[in-house]
């Protein structure tokens, strides 16, 4: 199960790179879109995880992101850990419905973006205004990632289907 979840997160991180490179070639320069499919995947997986399992996944992904973005440590770790600690308290109020997941994803992405602004201001001396950050980055991150919610939900269902098939095959032997 953990191997499949790790593969699911790895696939979403690769899709983030593909989407990010595609969007950057079409970028106008003022608008910043950051693909967060991996973030949406963690939100989906967190519905069944314990706090320890969730924080382990968040820690590994945030360290990976901090290592892959030049001079960003500890921005991702700060934003992701706090976001998922908050989200962990809310997870029982959200079902498996795609619309409910979209609402949860919007809330989580919004909290993450606010915390990213705070972290950039604290750790990286970011001097841009909060309104500018929301106008040119956060709005586009949230709106753009909502387009990909059905894909993430479908991939998550496929992962669960494969896990169930393997479990059935183990017990059928």
């Amino acid at each position: 199960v953990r191997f499949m979840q790790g593969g699911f997160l790895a696939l979403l991180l690769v899709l983030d790179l593909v989407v990010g490179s595609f969007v950057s070639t079409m970028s106008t320069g003022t608008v910043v879109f950051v693909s967060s499919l991996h973030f949406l995947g963690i939100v989906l997986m967190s519905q069944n995880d314990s706090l320890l399992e969730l924080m382990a996944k968040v820690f590994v992904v945030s360290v990976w992101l901090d290592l892959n973005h030049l001079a960003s440590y500890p921005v991702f770790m700060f934003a992701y850990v706090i976001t998922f600690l908050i989200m962990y308290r809310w997870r029982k109020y959200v079902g498996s419905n795609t619309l409910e997941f979209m609402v949860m994803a919007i809330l989580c992405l919004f909290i993450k973006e606010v915390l990213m602004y705070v972290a950039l201001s604290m750790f990286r001396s970011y001097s841009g205004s909060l309104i500018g950050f929301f106008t040119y980055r956060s709005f586009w991150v949230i709106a753009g990632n909502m387009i990909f919610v059905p894909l993430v939900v479908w991939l998550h269902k496929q992962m669960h289907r494969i896990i169930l098939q393997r479990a059935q095959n183990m017990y059928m032997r």
Side-chain angles (χ1 to χ4, degrees):
V1 172
R2 302 294 171 243
F3 179 73
M4 289 298 294
Q5 289 178 339
F8 175 66
L9 277 177
L11 175 64
L12 292 177
L13 285 165
V14 169
L15 287 174
D16 279 337
L17 289 173
V18 170
V19 170
S21 64
F22 179 73
V23 170
S24 68
T25 60
M26 301 176 65
S27 177
T28 62
T30 58
V31 173
V32 176
F33 171 73
V34 179
S35 178
S36 296
L37 302 179
H38 66 280
F39 185 86
L40 298 175
I42 295 173
V43 171
L44 259 179
M45 288 191 301
S46 70
Q47 293 175 345
N48 301 322
D49 286 346
S50 69
L51 183 60
L52 182 62
E53 290 172 329
L54 176 63
M55 286 298 114
K57 289 174 190 167
V58 168
F59 180 77
V60 168
V61 169
S62 62
V63 166
W64 175 258
L65 292 171
D66 278 328
L67 290 174
N68 283 304
H69 291 82
L70 185 63
S72 70
Y73 181 80
V75 172
F76 286 100
M77 188 176 300
F78 175 82
Y80 278 43
V81 167
I82 293 174
T83 299
F84 282 103
L85 283 172
I86 293 168
M87 192 273 317
Y88 186 78
R89 304 289 294 160
W90 294 342
R91 72 189 176 118
K92 61 185 167 206
Y93 302 113
V94 177
S96 58
N97 184 335
T98 303
L99 183 61
E100 290 174 350
F101 173 67
M102 286 182 86
V103 171
M104 178 66 123
I106 289 169
L107 286 171
C108 289
L109 284 168
F110 178 76
I111 292 169
K112 178 190 74 119
E113 288 298 312
V114 168
L115 290 171
M116 289 288 277
Y117 177 80
V118 169
L120 286 169
S121 298
M122 285 175 32
F123 303 123
R124 296 288 150 228
S125 302
Y126 179 74
S127 60
S129 71
L130 181 62
I131 297 298
F133 189 81
F134 280 117
T135 303
Y136 297 114
R137 177 190 158 101
S138 298
F139 172 78
W140 297 106
V141 168
I142 294 168
N145 280 294
M146 288 303 102
I147 295 169
F148 297 106
V149 164
L151 173 66
V152 174
V153 170
W154 181 80
L155 288 171
H156 187 255
K157 286 180 182 177
Q158 295 304 311
M159 177 192 68
H160 273 289
R161 184 184 57 76
I162 293 169
I163 290 171
L164 288 174
Q165 280 179 343
R166 288 191 179 188
Q168 280 180 336
N169 290 341
M170 278 180 35
Y171 291 116
M172 297 300 282
R173 290 182 197 181

